[in-house]
Amino acid sequence: MNPVRSCRICASPLTRTFVDLGAAPPCEAILSADGAEKGETAYPLHVRICERCLLVQLPEVVPAEEIFTAEYAYFSSFSTSWIEHARRYTVAMVERFGLSEDSFVVEVASNDGYLLQHFRDAGIPCLGIEPTANTAAAAVERGIPTEVVFLGEQTGSDIAARHGRADLVAANNVYAHVPDLADFTKGLAQLLAPTGTLTMEFPHLARLIEQRQYDTIYHEHFQYYTLLTAQRAVALGGLSIVDVEELPTHGGSLRIYCRHSQAAGEPSAAVRDLLAREQAAGLHGLDGHAGFEDAVRVVKRDLLRFLLDAQERGESVVGYGAPGKGNTLLNHCGIRPDLLAFTVDRNPHKHGKFLPGSRIPVMAPEAIAAARPDYVLVLPWNLRAEISAQLHYVAQWGGRLVFAIPSLQIVEPALEPGEEAR
Ligand SMILES: [Zn+2]
């Protein structure tokens, strides 16, 4: 009865479970007040691992038009740390590859142009490729030429014919999000000049397992890579990984550097070293992937126990942030407004709306100071330092911050110098 899904790299049948989180609505499908009066469709979040090539993957079950709706309100520019990450990336790449006004940089999934603006400011010709019309329009508004299209072999070849091939192709935080992995990878290869370099960033599965980051599993996130499976994936487009860096973003990401295989040469010592560490962790076999479901159940149990106990003591808990990952956690744990009255977000596009599934209201950040809750559950744990600093004022009324991942932690926010508890 079960339709057999096949692996996106090697086409083997996917019969082994990595983790099964039940079913939930698409995590970015935030609801307007009207939408909250209607029903939602929940789709399975059942992640499989390929027994042959080891790619951990979520079968595609949500129609793309349901993920990328007009409500899709992700604008990168609302996160301070991302803007800084983008600036540092630009400086590093300009230096490493000696980019100048004679170079050409293409970014895939360029969002609102938050990264390419730095190349533009450095006088380096650039082009964005972004399938979501409203974010692409924001990029064009700030002077970043942007093609509104999904990248594939055909669109990649078409763009290369009109604009030329790129010395640097950046595809940061998109490789995990493409359902047609082979076609997308061939599209990347089309964009890349014969001696050009492609960089991609994506969360590292080793960190996801180690830090129990199961809330990074959601419908738009189709692949969960080790360096080994990333090597196998880029080979679909005739590309090879020549270097790798480990980054702290998203709880632990990899930045890989790829070239056309015939121009690649030997991979760096960093590639060999990381492959060896993955192998030592059991990630080059099935063993290192087993046991993740048990770890997930512990996170759920601890968070629910905390929320139920707080309610019993008459203490209030609100949320901070409305990231996609928050919805995986809230829906998997069955948390509703009776346990988490509201959450807040800096993105004004989300204010007055409701989280999918849980129907928890999203308000402006000022709502926290008005409500003076006993606890603030911080959902985007990957921005922990940034958000802890923003929320220092919670200490004024003796409130505390709560993190659910990797394990339940309740911490006192630090007061700013000169500030006193009231
Ligand atoms: Zn496979």
Side-chain angles (χ1 to χ4, degrees), residues 198-241:
L198 158 72
T199 75
M200 296 203 280
E201 294 175 21
F202 43 78
H204 190 195
L205 180 67
R207 294 288 91 72
L208 184 153
I209 292 174
E210 193 182 274
Q211 298 291 316
R212 311 200 288 196
Q213 300 159 348
Y214 83 88
D215 58 346
T216 61
I217 295 168
Y218 41 79
H219 295 107
E220 295 92 299
H221 198 168
F222 297 110
Q223 282 90 228
Y224 304 81
Y225 298 102
T226 58
L227 185 58
L228 179 75
T229 54
Q231 272 184 327
R232 291 172 175 165
V234 300
L236 294 166
L239 303 169
S240 296
I241 298 175

Side-chain angles (χ1 to χ4, degrees), residues 4-25:
V4 176
R5 307 279 181 174
S6 53
C7 173
R8 297 198 178 95
I9 290 180
C10 73
S12 298
L14 295 174
T15 51
R16 185 180 285 259
T17 294
F18 173 67
V19 66
D20 186 353
L21 299 178

Side-chain angles (χ1 to χ4, degrees), residues 57-257:
Q57 55 202 296
L58 184 63
E60 186 183 11
V61 288
V62 186
E65 61 271 20
E66 282 206 35
I67 293 180
F68 297 101
T69 59
E71 296 286 338
Y72 188 77
Y74 186 72
F75 286 86
S76 307
S77 300
F78 287 104
S79 163
T80 322
S81 355
W82 274 112
I83 295 166
E84 177 56 15
H85 180 74
R87 194 193 60 77
R88 279 201 227 132
Y89 170 84
T90 307
V91 171
M93 294 309 114
V94 169
E95 190 182 306
R96 178 169 175 149
F97 300 112
L99 300 174
S100 69
E101 60 276 9
D102 300 325
S103 310
F104 182 42
V105 176
V106 172
E107 188 191 11
V108 183
S110 50
N111 208 280
D112 59 2
Y114 73 107
L115 187 144
L116 286 178
Q117 64 181 341
H118 299 291
F119 288 98
R120 179 205 57 194
D121 291 349
I124 298 163
C126 59
L127 175 75
I129 301 177
E130 169 58 50
T132 313
N134 59 342
T135 46
V140 171
E141 217 161 277
R142 60 165 66 162
I144 311 292
T146 303
E147 298 262 346
V148 185
V149 69
F150 276 102
L151 179 67
E153 188 171 19
Q154 187 54 51
T155 51
S157 141
D158 170 54
I159 290 169
R162 286 186 287 114
H163 296 272
R165 292 186 162 204
D167 303 293
L168 174 66
V169 176
N172 299 339
N173 295 299
V174 60
Y175 208 45
H177 300 264
V178 287
D180 193 342
L181 188 56
D183 189 48
F184 181 83
T185 307
K186 288 171 187 165
L188 291 170
Q190 288 291 336
L191 295 173
L192 192 62
T195 57
T197 300
L198 158 72
T199 75
M200 296 203 280
E201 294 175 21
F202 43 78
H204 190 195
L205 180 67
R207 294 288 91 72
L208 184 153
I209 292 174
E210 193 182 274
Q211 298 291 316
R212 311 200 288 196
Q213 300 159 348
Y214 83 88
D215 58 346
T216 61
I217 295 168
Y218 41 79
H219 295 107
E220 295 92 299
H221 198 168
F222 297 110
Q223 282 90 228
Y224 304 81
Y225 298 102
T226 58
L227 185 58
L228 179 75
T229 54
Q231 272 184 327
R232 291 172 175 165
V234 300
L236 294 166
L239 303 169
S240 296
I241 298 175
V242 296
D243 198 9
V244 64
E245 291 166 20
E246 290 172 86
L247 309 174
T249 46
H250 287 302
S253 296
L254 298 181
R255 175 186 291 156
I256 58 171
Y257 295 80

